[in-house]
Amino acid sequence: MIEKDGPSFVMFSTAHLGAVVVLCIIIFLLFIVRKKWSSIQPKNKRLNERLFALTLLIIDTIYYVWLFQTERWNLSNSLPLELCSISLAMTIVLLWTGNKHVYDFVFYAGIGGALQAIATPVLDLSFPHFRYFHFFYTHIGIISTALYFTWVKGYRPTFKGIIKTMVALNVLLPIVFAINVVLQGNYMFLRTKPTQGSLLDLLGPYPWYIVSLEIVTFIIFVCLWLLFKKKVPFETR
């Protein structure tokens, strides 16, 4: 049985910075071997993608089992309604199906949300507790999956994908907000900011930080699109 408690997580501690370094190394290696991986047989790629999807599903399932076992689970904060929880589910679907519409969401919302989460984690337990590994494994998994499909599989983000992702998020927001009101929750931080500090602290007081976040989210999505969109050869411009 996984222990209920463990060392407290401290932002910008060795454990935190170590996870950031691991993310950077994975991104670097993924970029370096992208052409070699592209030459792998499609059948083998699909097997590896589905195996990775299963690891994400298994570790997330263990997390919810742990919440139940330790009596931490409750309706107000344990449902998979955070942006990264939704992105993780979409990541698993992407790895299993290769759906290009799902790729748009994982690339934009997944990378944007997971990077923010890793930069300022809302996390109570630190290394070597299971929750520490669950948190960073799933968030790094979201980012690496989006980059894998971009660099290795040849998918490319589009501006239309930004619009689709923004529409999807704005459909989700009122639903999650209503659930927050009913359950007295704070999913997606739509009722208050994280108490331990986050990037939301730079976006103004409640409820204006939600409006500011919409603008910042769009800007981040555009930056990701410009950075990773398909390059047009000079002679065709």
Side-chain angles (χ1 to χ4, degrees), residues 131-195:
R131 172 58 177 146
Y132 169 88
F133 290 103
H134 166 264
F135 181 91
F136 286 107
Y137 185 78
T138 53
H139 286 82
I140 291 174
I142 293 169
I143 296 169
S144 58
T145 296
L147 295 178
Y148 165 80
F149 272 83
T150 304
W151 286 334
V152 177
K153 300 278 284 185
Y155 290 36
R156 280 293 180 269
T158 64
F159 190 80
K160 183 179 179 180
I162 294 177
I163 303 303
K164 289 193 295 183
T165 304
M166 291 296 296
V167 169
L169 291 175
N170 280 280
V171 169
L172 281 170
L173 287 181
I175 297 173
V176 174
F177 183 82
I179 293 173
N180 281 337
V181 172
V182 173
L183 301 180
Q184 293 298 297
N186 189 33
Y187 295 110
M188 290 192 180
F189 306 114
L190 294 179
R191 299 186 73 198
T192 186
K193 301 176 187 178
T195 55

Short mmCIF file of all heavy atoms in Angstrom, two decimals, residues 131-195:
data_model
loop_
_atom_site.label_atom_id
_atom_site.label_comp_id
_atom_site.label_asym_id
_atom_site.label_seq_id
_atom_site.Cartn_x
_atom_site.Cartn_y
_atom_site.Cartn_z
N ARG A 131 3.14 10.08 -5.37
CA ARG A 131 2.42 11.23 -5.93
C ARG A 131 3.36 12.14 -6.71
O ARG A 131 2.98 12.70 -7.74
CB ARG A 131 1.71 12.00 -4.82
CG ARG A 131 1.08 13.32 -5.24
CD ARG A 131 0.06 13.16 -6.34
NE ARG A 131 -0.57 14.43 -6.65
CZ ARG A 131 -0.98 14.80 -7.85
NH1 ARG A 131 -0.84 13.99 -8.88
NH2 ARG A 131 -1.55 15.98 -8.03
N TYR A 132 4.59 12.27 -6.26
CA TYR A 132 5.59 13.08 -6.96
C TYR A 132 5.84 12.49 -8.35
O TYR A 132 5.82 13.20 -9.36
CB TYR A 132 6.88 13.11 -6.14
CG TYR A 132 8.08 13.69 -6.86
CD1 TYR A 132 8.34 15.05 -6.86
CD2 TYR A 132 8.97 12.85 -7.55
CE1 TYR A 132 9.45 15.58 -7.51
CE2 TYR A 132 10.08 13.37 -8.21
CZ TYR A 132 10.31 14.73 -8.18
OH TYR A 132 11.40 15.25 -8.84
N PHE A 133 6.06 11.18 -8.40
CA PHE A 133 6.33 10.53 -9.69
C PHE A 133 5.10 10.56 -10.59
O PHE A 133 5.23 10.75 -11.81
CB PHE A 133 6.81 9.10 -9.46
CG PHE A 133 8.17 9.01 -8.86
CD1 PHE A 133 8.34 8.71 -7.52
CD2 PHE A 133 9.30 9.25 -9.64
CE1 PHE A 133 9.61 8.65 -6.96
CE2 PHE A 133 10.58 9.18 -9.09
CZ PHE A 133 10.74 8.89 -7.74
N HIS A 134 3.92 10.37 -10.00
CA HIS A 134 2.68 10.43 -10.79
C HIS A 134 2.53 11.79 -11.43
O HIS A 134 2.23 11.91 -12.62
CB HIS A 134 1.47 10.12 -9.91
CG HIS A 134 0.17 10.48 -10.55
ND1 HIS A 134 -0.48 11.69 -10.30
CD2 HIS A 134 -0.61 9.84 -11.45
CE1 HIS A 134 -1.59 11.75 -11.02
NE2 HIS A 134 -1.70 10.65 -11.72
N PHE A 135 2.71 12.84 -10.65
CA PHE A 135 2.51 14.20 -11.14
C PHE A 135 3.44 14.50 -12.32
O PHE A 135 2.99 14.92 -13.39
CB PHE A 135 2.75 15.20 -10.01
CG PHE A 135 2.54 16.64 -10.41
CD1 PHE A 135 1.30 17.24 -10.27
CD2 PHE A 135 3.59 17.40 -10.92
CE1 PHE A 135 1.10 18.57 -10.65
CE2 PHE A 135 3.40 18.72 -11.31
CZ PHE A 135 2.15 19.30 -11.16
N PHE A 136 4.72 14.26 -12.12
CA PHE A 136 5.68 14.65 -13.17
C PHE A 136 5.67 13.66 -14.34
O PHE A 136 5.87 14.08 -15.49
CB PHE A 136 7.07 14.82 -12.57
CG PHE A 136 7.21 16.08 -11.76
CD1 PHE A 136 7.27 16.03 -10.38
CD2 PHE A 136 7.22 17.32 -12.38
CE1 PHE A 136 7.37 17.19 -9.62
CE2 PHE A 136 7.32 18.50 -11.64
CZ PHE A 136 7.39 18.42 -10.26
N TYR A 137 5.43 12.39 -14.09
CA TYR A 137 5.38 11.43 -15.19
C TYR A 137 4.23 11.76 -16.14
O TYR A 137 4.40 11.73 -17.37
CB TYR A 137 5.22 10.00 -14.65
CG TYR A 137 5.27 8.94 -15.73
CD1 TYR A 137 6.48 8.54 -16.27
CD2 TYR A 137 4.11 8.34 -16.21
CE1 TYR A 137 6.55 7.57 -17.26
CE2 TYR A 137 4.16 7.36 -17.20
CZ TYR A 137 5.38 6.99 -17.72
OH TYR A 137 5.44 6.02 -18.71
N THR A 138 3.07 12.06 -15.59
CA THR A 138 1.91 12.35 -16.44
C THR A 138 2.06 13.68 -17.17
O THR A 138 1.75 13.77 -18.36
CB THR A 138 0.61 12.34 -15.63
OG1 THR A 138 0.74 13.23 -14.49
CG2 THR A 138 0.28 10.95 -15.12
N HIS A 139 2.57 14.69 -16.49
CA HIS A 139 2.72 15.99 -17.15
C HIS A 139 3.82 15.96 -18.21
O HIS A 139 3.65 16.52 -19.30
CB HIS A 139 2.99 17.09 -16.12
CG HIS A 139 1.79 17.47 -15.32
ND1 HIS A 139 1.36 16.76 -14.22
CD2 HIS A 139 0.89 18.47 -15.48
CE1 HIS A 139 0.27 17.32 -13.73
NE2 HIS A 139 -0.04 18.36 -14.47
N ILE A 140 4.93 15.32 -17.89
CA ILE A 140 5.98 15.16 -18.90
C ILE A 140 5.48 14.30 -20.04
O ILE A 140 5.81 14.53 -21.21
CB ILE A 140 7.25 14.57 -18.26
CG1 ILE A 140 7.89 15.60 -17.31
CG2 ILE A 140 8.26 14.14 -19.34
CD1 ILE A 140 9.07 15.06 -16.52
N GLY A 141 4.65 13.31 -19.73
CA GLY A 141 4.07 12.45 -20.75
C GLY A 141 3.20 13.21 -21.74
O GLY A 141 3.21 12.93 -22.94
N ILE A 142 2.45 14.18 -21.24
CA ILE A 142 1.61 15.01 -22.12
C ILE A 142 2.48 15.79 -23.10
O ILE A 142 2.24 15.79 -24.32
CB ILE A 142 0.74 15.97 -21.28
CG1 ILE A 142 -0.30 15.20 -20.47
CG2 ILE A 142 0.05 17.00 -22.19
CD1 ILE A 142 -1.01 16.04 -19.42
N ILE A 143 3.50 16.46 -22.57
CA ILE A 143 4.37 17.29 -23.40
C ILE A 143 5.13 16.44 -24.41
O ILE A 143 5.20 16.76 -25.60
CB ILE A 143 5.34 18.10 -22.52
CG1 ILE A 143 4.57 19.07 -21.63
CG2 ILE A 143 6.35 18.85 -23.39
CD1 ILE A 143 5.41 19.73 -20.55
N SER A 144 5.73 15.35 -23.94
CA SER A 144 6.54 14.51 -24.83
C SER A 144 5.68 13.85 -25.92
O SER A 144 6.14 13.68 -27.05
CB SER A 144 7.29 13.45 -24.03
OG SER A 144 6.41 12.62 -23.29
N THR A 145 4.44 13.52 -25.60
CA THR A 145 3.54 12.93 -26.60
C THR A 145 3.24 13.95 -27.70
O THR A 145 3.29 13.62 -28.90
CB THR A 145 2.24 12.45 -25.97
OG1 THR A 145 2.52 11.39 -25.05
CG2 THR A 145 1.27 11.93 -27.04
N ALA A 146 2.93 15.18 -27.30
CA ALA A 146 2.64 16.22 -28.29
C ALA A 146 3.84 16.46 -29.20
O ALA A 146 3.70 16.60 -30.43
CB ALA A 146 2.24 17.52 -27.59
N LEU A 147 5.04 16.49 -28.62
CA LEU A 147 6.25 16.72 -29.42
C LEU A 147 6.59 15.49 -30.27
O LEU A 147 7.09 15.63 -31.39
CB LEU A 147 7.42 17.08 -28.50
CG LEU A 147 7.26 18.41 -27.74
CD1 LEU A 147 8.46 18.65 -26.83
CD2 LEU A 147 7.09 19.57 -28.71
N TYR A 148 6.34 14.31 -29.75
CA TYR A 148 6.57 13.08 -30.51
C TYR A 148 5.71 13.07 -31.77
O TYR A 148 6.19 12.77 -32.87
CB TYR A 148 6.26 11.87 -29.63
CG TYR A 148 6.11 10.57 -30.40
CD1 TYR A 148 7.22 9.85 -30.82
CD2 TYR A 148 4.85 10.08 -30.73
CE1 TYR A 148 7.08 8.66 -31.52
CE2 TYR A 148 4.70 8.90 -31.43
CZ TYR A 148 5.82 8.19 -31.83
OH TYR A 148 5.66 7.03 -32.54
N PHE A 149 4.44 13.40 -31.63
CA PHE A 149 3.56 13.40 -32.80
C PHE A 149 3.94 14.51 -33.78
O PHE A 149 3.69 14.40 -34.98
CB PHE A 149 2.10 13.54 -32.37
CG PHE A 149 1.44 12.22 -32.08
CD1 PHE A 149 1.59 11.61 -30.85
CD2 PHE A 149 0.70 11.56 -33.05
CE1 PHE A 149 1.00 10.38 -30.57
CE2 PHE A 149 0.11 10.33 -32.80
CZ PHE A 149 0.27 9.73 -31.55
N THR A 150 4.56 15.56 -33.28
CA THR A 150 5.00 16.65 -34.15
C THR A 150 6.30 16.31 -34.87
O THR A 150 6.40 16.42 -36.09
CB THR A 150 5.18 17.94 -33.34
OG1 THR A 150 3.95 18.25 -32.66
CG2 THR A 150 5.54 19.11 -34.24
N TRP A 151 7.30 15.89 -34.10
CA TRP A 151 8.62 15.66 -34.67
C TRP A 151 8.79 14.29 -35.34
O TRP A 151 9.50 14.18 -36.33
CB TRP A 151 9.68 15.80 -33.57
CG TRP A 151 9.92 17.21 -33.16
CD1 TRP A 151 9.72 18.34 -33.90
CD2 TRP A 151 10.42 17.66 -31.89
NE1 TRP A 151 10.06 19.45 -33.18
CE2 TRP A 151 10.50 19.07 -31.94
CE3 TRP A 151 10.81 17.02 -30.72
CZ2 TRP A 151 10.96 19.84 -30.87
CZ3 TRP A 151 11.26 17.78 -29.64
CH2 TRP A 151 11.34 19.18 -29.72
N VAL A 152 8.18 13.28 -34.78
CA VAL A 152 8.37 11.92 -35.29
C VAL A 152 7.26 11.51 -36.25
O VAL A 152 7.53 10.97 -37.32
CB VAL A 152 8.47 10.91 -34.12
CG1 VAL A 152 8.59 9.48 -34.65
CG2 VAL A 152 9.66 11.25 -33.21
N LYS A 153 6.01 11.79 -35.90
CA LYS A 153 4.87 11.35 -36.71
C LYS A 153 4.55 12.32 -37.83
O LYS A 153 3.79 11.99 -38.75
CB LYS A 153 3.64 11.16 -35.82
CG LYS A 153 3.83 10.13 -34.72
CD LYS A 153 3.62 8.71 -35.23
CE LYS A 153 2.14 8.45 -35.41
NZ LYS A 153 1.90 7.04 -35.79
N GLY A 154 5.10 13.54 -37.76
CA GLY A 154 4.89 14.50 -38.84
C GLY A 154 3.60 15.30 -38.75
O GLY A 154 3.23 15.99 -39.70
N TYR A 155 2.90 15.25 -37.61
CA TYR A 155 1.73 16.10 -37.42
C TYR A 155 2.21 17.54 -37.29
O TYR A 155 3.30 17.80 -36.79
CB TYR A 155 0.97 15.71 -36.17
CG TYR A 155 0.24 14.38 -36.23
CD1 TYR A 155 0.76 13.29 -36.92
CD2 TYR A 155 -0.97 14.21 -35.57
CE1 TYR A 155 0.09 12.08 -36.96
CE2 TYR A 155 -1.65 12.99 -35.61
CZ TYR A 155 -1.10 11.92 -36.30
OH TYR A 155 -1.76 10.72 -36.34
N ARG A 156 1.36 18.48 -37.71
CA ARG A 156 1.72 19.88 -37.59
C ARG A 156 0.56 20.68 -37.03
O ARG A 156 -0.59 20.52 -37.45
CB ARG A 156 2.12 20.45 -38.96
CG ARG A 156 3.54 20.11 -39.38
CD ARG A 156 4.55 20.80 -38.48
NE ARG A 156 5.93 20.50 -38.87
CZ ARG A 156 6.63 19.49 -38.39
NH1 ARG A 156 6.09 18.67 -37.53
NH2 ARG A 156 7.88 19.30 -38.76
N PRO A 157 0.86 21.55 -36.05
CA PRO A 157 -0.20 22.42 -35.51
C PRO A 157 -0.63 23.44 -36.55
O PRO A 157 0.18 23.88 -37.38
CB PRO A 157 0.49 23.10 -34.32
CG PRO A 157 1.95 23.08 -34.67
CD PRO A 157 2.17 21.81 -35.43
N THR A 158 -1.89 23.82 -36.51
CA THR A 158 -2.43 24.80 -37.45
C THR A 158 -3.12 25.92 -36.67
O THR A 158 -3.46 25.75 -35.49
CB THR A 158 -3.45 24.15 -38.40
OG1 THR A 158 -4.57 23.67 -37.61
CG2 THR A 158 -2.82 22.99 -39.17
N PHE A 159 -3.32 27.03 -37.35
CA PHE A 159 -4.05 28.12 -36.70
C PHE A 159 -5.50 27.71 -36.45
O PHE A 159 -6.10 28.09 -35.44
CB PHE A 159 -4.00 29.38 -37.56
CG PHE A 159 -4.53 30.60 -36.84
CD1 PHE A 159 -3.73 31.28 -35.94
CD2 PHE A 159 -5.83 31.04 -37.05
CE1 PHE A 159 -4.23 32.40 -35.26
CE2 PHE A 159 -6.33 32.15 -36.37
CZ PHE A 159 -5.51 32.83 -35.48
N LYS A 160 -6.04 26.93 -37.36
CA LYS A 160 -7.39 26.40 -37.15
C LYS A 160 -7.45 25.56 -35.88
O LYS A 160 -8.46 25.57 -35.16
CB LYS A 160 -7.81 25.55 -38.36
CG LYS A 160 -9.23 25.02 -38.28
CD LYS A 160 -9.58 24.22 -39.53
CE LYS A 160 -11.00 23.66 -39.44
NZ LYS A 160 -11.34 22.87 -40.65
N GLY A 161 -6.37 24.85 -35.59
CA GLY A 161 -6.30 24.06 -34.36
C GLY A 161 -6.37 24.93 -33.12
O GLY A 161 -6.93 24.52 -32.09
N ILE A 162 -5.79 26.14 -33.20
CA ILE A 162 -5.89 27.09 -32.08
C ILE A 162 -7.34 27.43 -31.83
O ILE A 162 -7.81 27.42 -30.68
CB ILE A 162 -5.09 28.38 -32.38
CG1 ILE A 162 -3.60 28.07 -32.47
CG2 ILE A 162 -5.35 29.43 -31.30
CD1 ILE A 162 -2.75 29.29 -32.83
N ILE A 163 -8.06 27.76 -32.90
CA ILE A 163 -9.47 28.15 -32.76
C ILE A 163 -10.28 27.00 -32.18
O ILE A 163 -11.11 27.19 -31.27
CB ILE A 163 -10.05 28.59 -34.13
CG1 ILE A 163 -9.22 29.74 -34.72
CG2 ILE A 163 -11.51 28.98 -33.98
CD1 ILE A 163 -9.10 30.95 -33.84
N LYS A 164 -10.05 25.79 -32.69
CA LYS A 164 -10.78 24.62 -32.20
C LYS A 164 -10.51 24.39 -30.72
O LYS A 164 -11.43 24.07 -29.95
CB LYS A 164 -10.42 23.37 -33.01
CG LYS A 164 -10.96 23.36 -34.43
CD LYS A 164 -10.84 21.99 -35.07
CE LYS A 164 -9.41 21.57 -35.24
NZ LYS A 164 -9.28 20.26 -35.93
N THR A 165 -9.25 24.54 -30.32
CA THR A 165 -8.90 24.31 -28.92
C THR A 165 -9.48 25.39 -28.02
O THR A 165 -9.99 25.09 -26.93
CB THR A 165 -7.37 24.27 -28.76
OG1 THR A 165 -6.83 23.28 -29.63
CG2 THR A 165 -6.98 23.93 -27.33
N MET A 166 -9.45 26.65 -28.47
CA MET A 166 -10.05 27.73 -27.69
C MET A 166 -11.55 27.53 -27.53
O MET A 166 -12.11 27.75 -26.44
CB MET A 166 -9.77 29.08 -28.36
CG MET A 166 -8.32 29.53 -28.32
SD MET A 166 -7.67 29.84 -26.65
CE MET A 166 -8.70 31.21 -26.11
N VAL A 167 -12.22 27.10 -28.60
CA VAL A 167 -13.66 26.82 -28.53
C VAL A 167 -13.92 25.69 -27.54
O VAL A 167 -14.82 25.78 -26.70
CB VAL A 167 -14.23 26.48 -29.92
CG1 VAL A 167 -15.66 25.94 -29.80
CG2 VAL A 167 -14.20 27.70 -30.83
N ALA A 168 -13.12 24.62 -27.63
CA ALA A 168 -13.30 23.48 -26.73
C ALA A 168 -13.12 23.91 -25.27
O ALA A 168 -13.92 23.52 -24.39
CB ALA A 168 -12.30 22.38 -27.08
N LEU A 169 -12.11 24.72 -25.00
CA LEU A 169 -11.87 25.19 -23.63
C LEU A 169 -13.02 26.05 -23.13
O LEU A 169 -13.42 25.95 -21.97
CB LEU A 169 -10.56 25.96 -23.57
CG LEU A 169 -9.28 25.13 -23.75
CD1 LEU A 169 -8.06 26.04 -23.80
CD2 LEU A 169 -9.13 24.11 -22.63
N ASN A 170 -13.55 26.90 -24.01
CA ASN A 170 -14.63 27.78 -23.58
C ASN A 170 -15.98 27.06 -23.48
O ASN A 170 -16.90 27.58 -22.86
CB ASN A 170 -14.73 28.97 -24.53
CG ASN A 170 -13.67 30.03 -24.21
OD1 ASN A 170 -13.84 30.83 -23.30
ND2 ASN A 170 -12.58 30.01 -24.96
N VAL A 171 -16.09 25.90 -24.08
CA VAL A 171 -17.25 25.05 -23.84
C VAL A 171 -17.10 24.35 -22.49
O VAL A 171 -18.07 24.20 -21.74
CB VAL A 171 -17.40 24.00 -24.97
CG1 VAL A 171 -18.44 22.94 -24.59
CG2 VAL A 171 -17.81 24.69 -26.27
N LEU A 172 -15.86 23.96 -22.17
CA LEU A 172 -15.60 23.28 -20.90
C LEU A 172 -15.76 24.22 -19.70
O LEU A 172 -16.26 23.80 -18.64
CB LEU A 172 -14.19 22.71 -20.89
CG LEU A 172 -13.94 21.40 -21.64
CD1 LEU A 172 -12.45 21.12 -21.73
CD2 LEU A 172 -14.66 20.26 -20.94
N LEU A 173 -15.34 25.47 -19.85
CA LEU A 173 -15.29 26.38 -18.71
C LEU A 173 -16.62 26.54 -17.98
O LEU A 173 -16.67 26.39 -16.75
CB LEU A 173 -14.75 27.75 -19.15
CG LEU A 173 -13.26 27.83 -19.46
CD1 LEU A 173 -12.86 29.24 -19.85
CD2 LEU A 173 -12.44 27.37 -18.26
N PRO A 174 -17.73 26.86 -18.66
CA PRO A 174 -18.99 27.01 -17.92
C PRO A 174 -19.47 25.71 -17.29
O PRO A 174 -20.10 25.72 -16.22
CB PRO A 174 -19.97 27.50 -18.98
CG PRO A 174 -19.37 27.14 -20.28
CD PRO A 174 -17.89 27.19 -20.08
N ILE A 175 -19.15 24.58 -17.93
CA ILE A 175 -19.53 23.29 -17.35
C ILE A 175 -18.77 23.04 -16.06
O ILE A 175 -19.35 22.69 -15.02
CB ILE A 175 -19.26 22.15 -18.36
CG1 ILE A 175 -20.12 22.33 -19.61
CG2 ILE A 175 -19.52 20.79 -17.72
CD1 ILE A 175 -19.79 21.36 -20.73
N VAL A 176 -17.46 23.27 -16.11
CA VAL A 176 -16.64 23.06 -14.92
C VAL A 176 -16.99 24.08 -13.84
O VAL A 176 -17.03 23.75 -12.65
CB VAL A 176 -15.14 23.15 -15.28
CG1 VAL A 176 -14.27 23.08 -14.03
CG2 VAL A 176 -14.76 22.04 -16.25
N PHE A 177 -17.28 25.31 -14.25
CA PHE A 177 -17.66 26.34 -13.27
C PHE A 177 -18.95 25.93 -12.54
O PHE A 177 -19.05 26.08 -11.31
CB PHE A 177 -17.88 27.68 -13.96
CG PHE A 177 -18.19 28.80 -13.01
CD1 PHE A 177 -17.18 29.45 -12.31
CD2 PHE A 177 -19.51 29.19 -12.77
CE1 PHE A 177 -17.47 30.47 -11.42
CE2 PHE A 177 -19.80 30.22 -11.89
CZ PHE A 177 -18.78 30.86 -11.21
N ALA A 178 -19.92 25.41 -13.28
CA ALA A 178 -21.17 24.96 -12.67
C ALA A 178 -20.93 23.82 -11.70
O ALA A 178 -21.51 23.77 -10.60
CB ALA A 178 -22.16 24.54 -13.76
N ILE A 179 -20.05 22.90 -12.07
CA ILE A 179 -19.71 21.78 -11.19
C ILE A 179 -19.02 22.31 -9.93
O ILE A 179 -19.29 21.84 -8.81
CB ILE A 179 -18.80 20.78 -11.91
CG1 ILE A 179 -19.58 20.09 -13.04
CG2 ILE A 179 -18.24 19.74 -10.94
CD1 ILE A 179 -18.75 19.20 -13.93
N ASN A 180 -18.17 23.32 -10.09
CA ASN A 180 -17.52 23.93 -8.93
C ASN A 180 -18.54 24.50 -7.96
O ASN A 180 -18.42 24.35 -6.74
CB ASN A 180 -16.58 25.05 -9.39
CG ASN A 180 -15.25 24.54 -9.92
OD1 ASN A 180 -14.83 23.44 -9.59
ND2 ASN A 180 -14.60 25.32 -10.75
N VAL A 181 -19.55 25.18 -8.49
CA VAL A 181 -20.57 25.80 -7.64
C VAL A 181 -21.34 24.72 -6.88
O VAL A 181 -21.59 24.83 -5.67
CB VAL A 181 -21.53 26.65 -8.49
CG1 VAL A 181 -22.71 27.13 -7.64
CG2 VAL A 181 -20.78 27.85 -9.09
N VAL A 182 -21.73 23.67 -7.59
CA VAL A 182 -22.52 22.60 -6.98
C VAL A 182 -21.71 21.84 -5.92
O VAL A 182 -22.22 21.54 -4.84
CB VAL A 182 -23.03 21.62 -8.06
CG1 VAL A 182 -23.70 20.40 -7.41
CG2 VAL A 182 -24.00 22.32 -8.99
N LEU A 183 -20.44 21.55 -6.23
CA LEU A 183 -19.62 20.72 -5.35
C LEU A 183 -18.72 21.52 -4.42
O LEU A 183 -17.97 20.94 -3.64
CB LEU A 183 -18.75 19.77 -6.20
CG LEU A 183 -19.49 18.81 -7.13
CD1 LEU A 183 -18.50 17.94 -7.89
CD2 LEU A 183 -20.46 17.93 -6.33
N GLN A 184 -18.78 22.85 -4.53
CA GLN A 184 -17.89 23.72 -3.75
C GLN A 184 -16.43 23.39 -4.05
O GLN A 184 -15.58 23.33 -3.16
CB GLN A 184 -18.17 23.57 -2.26
CG GLN A 184 -19.53 24.09 -1.83
CD GLN A 184 -19.68 25.59 -2.11
OE1 GLN A 184 -18.96 26.40 -1.53
NE2 GLN A 184 -20.62 25.95 -2.96
N GLY A 185 -16.16 23.17 -5.34
CA GLY A 185 -14.80 22.84 -5.77
C GLY A 185 -14.10 24.04 -6.39
O GLY A 185 -14.62 25.15 -6.43
N ASN A 186 -12.90 23.77 -6.89
CA ASN A 186 -12.12 24.83 -7.54
C ASN A 186 -11.38 24.25 -8.74
O ASN A 186 -10.23 24.58 -9.00
CB ASN A 186 -11.13 25.45 -6.55
CG ASN A 186 -10.46 26.70 -7.11
OD1 ASN A 186 -11.07 27.45 -7.88
ND2 ASN A 186 -9.20 26.91 -6.76
N TYR A 187 -12.06 23.39 -9.48
CA TYR A 187 -11.46 22.80 -10.66
C TYR A 187 -11.09 23.88 -11.68
O TYR A 187 -11.84 24.82 -11.89
CB TYR A 187 -12.41 21.78 -11.30
CG TYR A 187 -12.69 20.59 -10.42
CD1 TYR A 187 -13.93 20.41 -9.83
CD2 TYR A 187 -11.69 19.65 -10.16
CE1 TYR A 187 -14.19 19.31 -9.01
CE2 TYR A 187 -11.93 18.55 -9.35
CZ TYR A 187 -13.18 18.39 -8.77
OH TYR A 187 -13.42 17.31 -7.97
N MET A 188 -9.93 23.72 -12.29
CA MET A 188 -9.36 24.69 -13.25
C MET A 188 -9.12 26.05 -12.61
O MET A 188 -8.94 27.05 -13.31
CB MET A 188 -10.26 24.84 -14.49
CG MET A 188 -10.29 23.64 -15.40
SD MET A 188 -11.08 24.06 -16.99
CE MET A 188 -10.98 22.48 -17.83
N PHE A 189 -9.16 26.10 -11.28
CA PHE A 189 -8.93 27.35 -10.54
C PHE A 189 -9.90 28.45 -10.99
O PHE A 189 -9.52 29.63 -11.09
CB PHE A 189 -7.48 27.81 -10.69
CG PHE A 189 -6.49 26.76 -10.31
CD1 PHE A 189 -5.64 26.20 -11.26
CD2 PHE A 189 -6.41 26.30 -9.01
CE1 PHE A 189 -4.74 25.21 -10.91
CE2 PHE A 189 -5.51 25.31 -8.65
CZ PHE A 189 -4.67 24.76 -9.60
N LEU A 190 -11.16 28.06 -11.20
CA LEU A 190 -12.16 29.03 -11.67
C LEU A 190 -12.83 29.79 -10.54
O LEU A 190 -13.58 30.73 -10.79
CB LEU A 190 -13.23 28.31 -12.51
CG LEU A 190 -12.74 27.71 -13.83
CD1 LEU A 190 -13.88 27.01 -14.55
CD2 LEU A 190 -12.13 28.79 -14.72
N ARG A 191 -12.55 29.40 -9.28
CA ARG A 191 -13.15 30.10 -8.15
C ARG A 191 -12.12 30.86 -7.32
O ARG A 191 -12.44 31.84 -6.66
CB ARG A 191 -13.91 29.13 -7.26
CG ARG A 191 -15.07 28.43 -7.96
CD ARG A 191 -15.88 27.58 -7.01
NE ARG A 191 -16.70 28.41 -6.14
CZ ARG A 191 -17.23 27.97 -5.00
NH1 ARG A 191 -16.99 26.75 -4.58
NH2 ARG A 191 -17.99 28.78 -4.27
N THR A 192 -10.89 30.38 -7.35
CA THR A 192 -9.82 31.07 -6.63
C THR A 192 -8.47 30.57 -7.14
O THR A 192 -8.39 29.51 -7.76
CB THR A 192 -9.91 30.82 -5.11
OG1 THR A 192 -8.93 31.61 -4.44
CG2 THR A 192 -9.70 29.35 -4.77
N LYS A 193 -7.42 31.33 -6.89
CA LYS A 193 -6.08 30.94 -7.32
C LYS A 193 -5.50 29.90 -6.36
O LYS A 193 -5.93 29.80 -5.21
CB LYS A 193 -5.17 32.16 -7.36
CG LYS A 193 -5.63 33.28 -8.27
CD LYS A 193 -4.69 34.46 -8.15
CE LYS A 193 -5.20 35.66 -8.92
NZ LYS A 193 -4.31 36.84 -8.77
N PRO A 194 -4.47 29.15 -6.81
CA PRO A 194 -3.77 28.23 -5.90
C PRO A 194 -3.17 29.01 -4.73
O PRO A 194 -2.61 30.09 -4.92
CB PRO A 194 -2.68 27.63 -6.78
CG PRO A 194 -3.16 27.81 -8.18
CD PRO A 194 -3.96 29.07 -8.19
N THR A 195 -3.28 28.46 -3.54
CA THR A 195 -2.80 29.17 -2.35
C THR A 195 -1.29 29.24 -2.28
O THR A 195 -0.73 30.17 -1.69
CB THR A 195 -3.33 28.48 -1.08
OG1 THR A 195 -2.94 27.09 -1.11
CG2 THR A 195 -4.85 28.56 -1.00
#
